[in-house]
Amino acid sequence: MARNPRYDVLFEPVRIGPVTARNRFYAVPHAAGMTNAMPHMRARFRETKAEGGWGVVCTGYVSIDPTADDAPLPYATLWDDDDIRSHALMTEAVHRHGALAGIELWHGGGSVMNRLSRLPPLSPSGTSWMATHVNFMGNQRPKAMDAEDIRALLAMQAAAARRARSAGFDIVYVYAGMGYLPYEFLLPEWNLRTDAYGGSVANRVRLVRELLEVTREAVGTTCAVALRLSLEELRARPSERAPSEAHEVVALLSDTVDLWDVKLDSSPTDCAPSRFAPEGSHEKVIDFVKSLTPKPVVGVGRFTSPDAMVGQIRRGVLDLIGAARPSIADPFLPRKIDEGREGDIRECIGCNICISSWHDSVPVRCTQNPTIGEEWRRDWHPERIAPAGSTASVLVVGAGPAGLECALALGQRGYEVTVAEAGDDIGGRLRFETRLPGLSAWGRVLDWRRAQLQRLVNVNVYRGNRLTADDILGLGHTHVVIATGAHWARLLYSPLEIPVGELEGSGVFTPDDVAAGARLESPVVVYDFDNYYMGSALAEQLAQSGHVVSYVTPAGHASAWTIMSNEQPQVHRALFTAGIGLHTLSRVTAFARGEVTLANQFTGAETRLECAALLIVGTRFADDALYAALAPRAGELAGAGIRSLTRIGDALAPGAIVHAVYSGHRYARELDADAAALAYRRDAPLPRLA
Ligand code: ADP
Ligand code: SF4
């Protein structure tokens, strides 16, 4: 198909200093969890984006010196010449597909703890990030930089920039964002200096200017010099000379950069979850930049719609459409627009499982795109899949995320696939969960698969078909895949921090009951030790529908795990706004006569809460009765021509949607695959030169 001329503007080349991007699609620097210890995974992951049509593909954060050590979080290094080859693998791979390669040189300053290098962290004035969440806390306070430290920093940046040029990068960054060292100089709370680097905005900008200057000197006319700048805090500060300090900073630096990469300041607002922020949420902060500079501007906003992208260009907000998450969910997004296939874009759902992978210090994962991070390790390509290895037919029982992904990938391989779904429509857990407050964008998991499946004549989907073991034995398929999901249990939480002791009786509910339409009486107590979205989203929904709601959890925060997905600050705001009473560090120990008994998790001290309905959002168990009924009947299975019986998704091991999709995809990739394809391939650092 031909490209829609409405989108031609997105494919115009953009000059960035001495280099030219072939189009306006810019895969911005983002954490991907692949360090120098995984050079091949990293190169192939970024190569796939270049192949998918992005005009520029960037690294994640690359430390310029051991004084910038973010361990155990996964960062890359360019500390010495030995590190060059590891990055050159990526630039060569990206260049093979005609894209430019950008590198985000980074110094973490007082926001990192140097746990690995054990060197004193550096900062403008000895202050560090006193995070409220354990993952980012540390006991090491930074050194206040003296003049010698500043000279050393400039030398580090220059040396790293020279190495970046040797590694083949086209765009070299100075990173003044998100609490990291150059950003710390920009903000007066961090920067209390009384020398030429502190005080007025012009003084606070000095370090960033000098970093830009040494970078340019180091890369000469070979590479463009980009500045990545967080503007949220600066924009909120009044200035005597300009509408805000952000305006002042941009004006002061306008002559020193080839490219502005502008963003917000804290991860939960910069990489905001769709549950709480719409597409394009950066615009209100960064919209002024283009009016102050003739240089190209790139920014992000979880853009997946080409019309929204064109809007950003036409309205003069951006020159280049930056993307981290949309390029993870669909590395081929630009190609699909170019080929008039925008309907095929696998749109990011904004769940932030990708960012949680970084917080977990593992390679990036994605709910929508199971192949991300697996391009080299498993040789999974997001758009290509091996043809069927046999003429086998496959029965998939259950059409939730696992069954749908499995059926789709099997269908794309060319297998004859039958999907049987008990419900009157496909979607499984998504049908209910996407109706919870803020979660409608998650419906893209279903919408995309539904649309793709409709094109496959070799996949037949039967709704309203609850299959029994005998039904399956009678259907005569070669392989049977059980994707029947999971259910929530009424178990409580023990002092050992495990689920025990089922709570029976009327007035006790689980999310499955709410999904099935149960009517709850007020006051409702939501008891959450699942710790992800379900507890807080249900509490919000019940409050919105007029219930008096309390939220109880043994954890220290509501939806405690969502600190990993950047949702937690907003979960707390949402509960507060909805008037929901919050009881942390509390276990429910009993429920009778209109009240629940809570015990403090550590002291055991008891309190009571009025309660007509107790909604336990605790643990989930696999719905594997069908599997259990079939598995022992080996003789009958063989007699029916069934060669394999396999559980996938929640029916195997209940998890988040990302796990179900991955499980379904993996089954489809591995059916009839040879041993080499099944091997667990391990990446390793390149050997050091002597
Ligand atoms: P997952 O996340 O693993 O995909 P879900 O719970 O979302 O799991 O989906 C499981 C699906 O399986 C549900 O739509 C459910 O209706 C369906 N299902 C469960 N048991 C049967 C059965 N015996 N026959 C057909 N479909 C079933
Ligand atoms: Fe988007 Fe979620 Fe995938 Fe991240 S994990 S890219 S937020 S769909």
Side-chain angles (χ1 to χ4, degrees):
M1 279 189 285
R3 182 208 298 165
N4 184 331
R6 203 163 71 232
Y7 306 138
D8 284 352
V9 65
L10 299 173
F11 293 88
E12 290 169 356
V14 179
R15 197 156 178 77
I16 307 173
V19 297
T20 301
R22 62 179 157 177
N23 60 34
R24 296 182 188 270
F25 293 95
Y26 194 109
V28 293
H30 70 82
M34 288 169 247
T35 65
N36 285 27
M38 301 172 184
H40 302 94
M41 284 174 72
R42 194 169 65 178
R44 183 76 67 81
F45 154 70
R46 300 207 171 105
E47 174 172 13
T48 307
K49 293 193 193 187
E51 186 193 354
W54 299 87
V56 181
V57 179
C58 295
T59 63
Y61 65 148
V62 179
S63 168
I64 59 174
D65 185 80
T67 52
D69 151 33
D70 213 8
L73 289 170
Y75 61 99
T77 57
L78 196 46
W79 289 349
D80 54 33
D81 289 355
D82 247 332
D83 276 339
I84 294 174
R85 290 172 307 132
S86 154
H87 291 284
L89 281 182
M90 172 218 158
T91 59
E92 284 155 18
V94 163
H95 288 157
R96 271 199 289 280
H97 300 277
L100 299 177
I103 181 166
E104 184 184 53
L105 297 181
W106 166 83
H107 198 296
S111 290
V112 297
M113 294 296 149
N114 292 350
R115 293 175 177 93
L116 188 67
S117 70
R118 302 197 66 178
L119 296 168
L122 302 174
S123 74
S125 307
T127 38
S128 66
W129 183 25
M130 307 295 283
T132 54
H133 32 285
V134 173
N135 330 39
F136 294 99
M137 287 178 189
N139 307 319
Q140 171 78 71
R141 302 290 160 245
K143 175 190 182 199
M145 291 169 77
D146 58 24
E148 183 47 41
D149 291 322
I150 290 182
R151 273 194 293 279
L153 175 72
L154 295 171
M156 286 167 205
Q157 173 77 15
R162 277 193 294 276
R163 291 183 199 116
R165 188 183 60 179
S166 303
F169 285 100
D170 308 286
I171 302 174
V172 179
Y173 271 73
V174 169
Y175 187 10
M178 300 204 95
Y180 298 131
L181 186 55
Y183 170 91
E184 293 164 12
F185 272 80
L186 293 175
L187 291 185
E189 286 87 347
W190 286 87
N191 183 348
L192 308 171
R193 301 177 73 94
T194 51
D195 63 3
Y197 293 92
S200 65
V201 176
N203 275 2
R204 282 184 264 137
V205 153
R206 189 177 311 277
L207 182 83
V208 176
R209 170 181 282 281
E210 289 177 357
L211 285 166
L212 288 162
E213 285 166 357
V214 297
T215 306
R216 184 172 303 285
E217 221 175 280
V219 300
T221 52
T222 320
C223 315
V225 176
L227 174 62
R228 196 166 215 210
L229 184 62
S230 290
L231 289 171
E232 204 176 0
E233 292 286 343
L234 289 166
R235 181 126 198 213
R237 278 164 210 282
S239 152
E240 282 165 17
R241 292 174 187 76
S244 75
E245 286 198 354
H247 291 73
E248 224 183 313
V249 167
V250 172
L252 281 165
L253 294 172
S254 177
D255 58 330
T256 53
V257 305
D258 295 320
L259 172 71
W260 292 91
D261 180 340
V262 286
K263 60 181 328 215
L264 306 196
D265 300 37
S266 79
S267 196
T269 54
D270 185 65
C271 180
S274 62
R275 183 172 167 190
F276 299 107
E279 195 170 315
S281 62
H282 287 211
E283 185 175 331
K284 58 185 182 303
V285 175
I286 57 93
D287 60 355
F288 71 96
V289 178
K290 257 187 73 57
S291 67
L292 294 181
T293 172
K295 307 293 173 58
V297 177
V298 59
V300 297
R302 201 163 44 76
F303 297 117
T304 54
S305 138
D307 290 307
M309 297 174 194
V310 170
Q312 292 287 308
I313 310 291
R314 297 263 183 248
R315 289 188 295 108
V317 183
L318 298 174
D319 298 293
L320 292 144
I321 302 299
R325 289 173 290 174
S327 74
I328 295 170
D330 197 339
F332 273 59
L333 181 149
R335 277 266 283 266
K336 289 176 182 175
I337 299 173
D338 196 20
E339 292 168 2
R341 297 193 296 126
E342 50 274 7
D344 285 342
I345 295 173
R346 193 171 38 227
E347 291 182 281
C348 166
I349 68 167
C351 61
N352 282 357
I353 284 294
C354 48
I355 190 85
S356 80
S357 326
W358 176 65
H359 292 147
D360 276 334
S361 305
V362 294
V364 63
R365 302 160 172 204
C366 172
T367 300
Q368 275 285 57
N369 177 9
T371 69
I372 205 77
E374 301 288 18
E375 300 86 350
W376 182 87
R377 194 173 71 147
R378 292 195 187 270
D379 204 15
W380 289 359
H381 189 278
E383 300 297 310
R384 289 191 293 275
I385 192 161
S390 70
T391 54
S393 70
V394 187
L395 171 67
V396 178
V397 187
L404 288 173
E405 176 64 24
C406 184
L408 176 60
L410 286 170
Q412 288 167 337
R413 290 189 65 188
Y415 287 99
E416 284 299 322
V417 183
T418 301
V419 181
E421 166 54 51
D424 59 6
D425 198 3
I426 60 173
R429 61 192 287 187
L430 294 167
R431 295 181 66 196
F432 168 63
E433 294 183 12
T434 57
R435 296 202 310 270
L436 293 171
L439 298 188
S440 64
W442 294 22
R444 292 171 173 182
V445 172
L446 172 57
D447 298 342
W448 186 78
R449 285 167 182 80
R450 189 197 294 276
Q452 298 293 310
L453 279 167
Q454 272 161 1
R455 310 224 184 113
L456 293 175
V457 292
N458 52 327
V459 180
N460 289 301
V461 181
Y462 297 92
R463 295 163 178 80
N465 264 272
R466 179 174 292 281
L467 297 187
T468 63
D470 288 339
D471 293 335
I472 291 170
L473 287 168
L475 283 172
H477 291 281
T478 332
H479 300 286
V480 175
V481 181
I482 304 291
T484 46
H487 62 273
W488 293 90
R490 286 175 166 73
L491 297 174
L492 295 179
Y493 186 83
S494 87
L496 288 177
E497 305 197 336
I498 54 171
V500 288
E502 186 136 335
L503 196 61
E504 296 292 354
S506 66
V508 182
F509 300 90
T510 71
D512 295 326
D513 300 319
V514 181
R519 294 186 69 81
L520 277 59
E521 298 289 318
S522 273
V524 181
V525 172
V526 176
Y527 180 38
D528 182 11
F529 57 91
D530 169 61
N531 298 323
Y532 193 15
Y533 56 90
M534 182 60 82
S536 59
L538 275 171
E540 259 192 280
Q541 189 188 50
L542 289 162
Q544 281 172 13
S545 59
H547 285 285
V548 175
V549 183
S550 298
Y551 173 98
V552 176
T553 179
H557 287 85
S559 289
W561 186 82
T562 63
I563 191 67
M564 308 299 269
S565 55
N566 283 353
E567 290 162 297
Q568 194 187 74
Q570 290 138 136
V571 166
H572 276 267
R573 260 172 242 144
L575 295 184
F576 177 78
T577 308
I580 296 166
L582 178 60
H583 304 265
T584 56
L585 302 180
S586 300
R587 274 181 295 117
V588 170
T589 54
F591 172 41
R593 292 178 295 282
E595 56 180 31
V596 288
T597 307
L598 309 184
N600 179 282
Q601 175 65 5
F602 301 122
T603 65
E606 288 195 347
T607 47
R608 288 186 170 68
L609 274 182
E610 216 186 312
C611 174
L614 174 64
L615 175 53
I616 302 176
V617 186
T619 195
R620 292 163 73 218
F621 290 110
D623 276 335
D624 56 0
L626 193 55
Y627 177 86
L630 281 167
R633 297 166 72 175
E636 287 171 84
L637 287 167
I642 297 173
R643 295 220 299 269
S644 75
L645 173 72
T646 312
R647 283 168 294 176
I648 61 167
D650 292 331
L652 177 65
I657 298 166
V658 60
H659 302 114
V661 170
Y662 186 86
S663 170
H665 192 83
R666 186 171 150 224
Y667 175 90
R669 288 269 178 179
E670 294 185 348
L671 185 61
D672 296 321
D674 58 26
L678 298 177
Y680 189 85
R681 203 170 173 202
R682 296 168 68 182
D683 205 354
L686 300 182
R688 291 189 73 78
L689 299 169

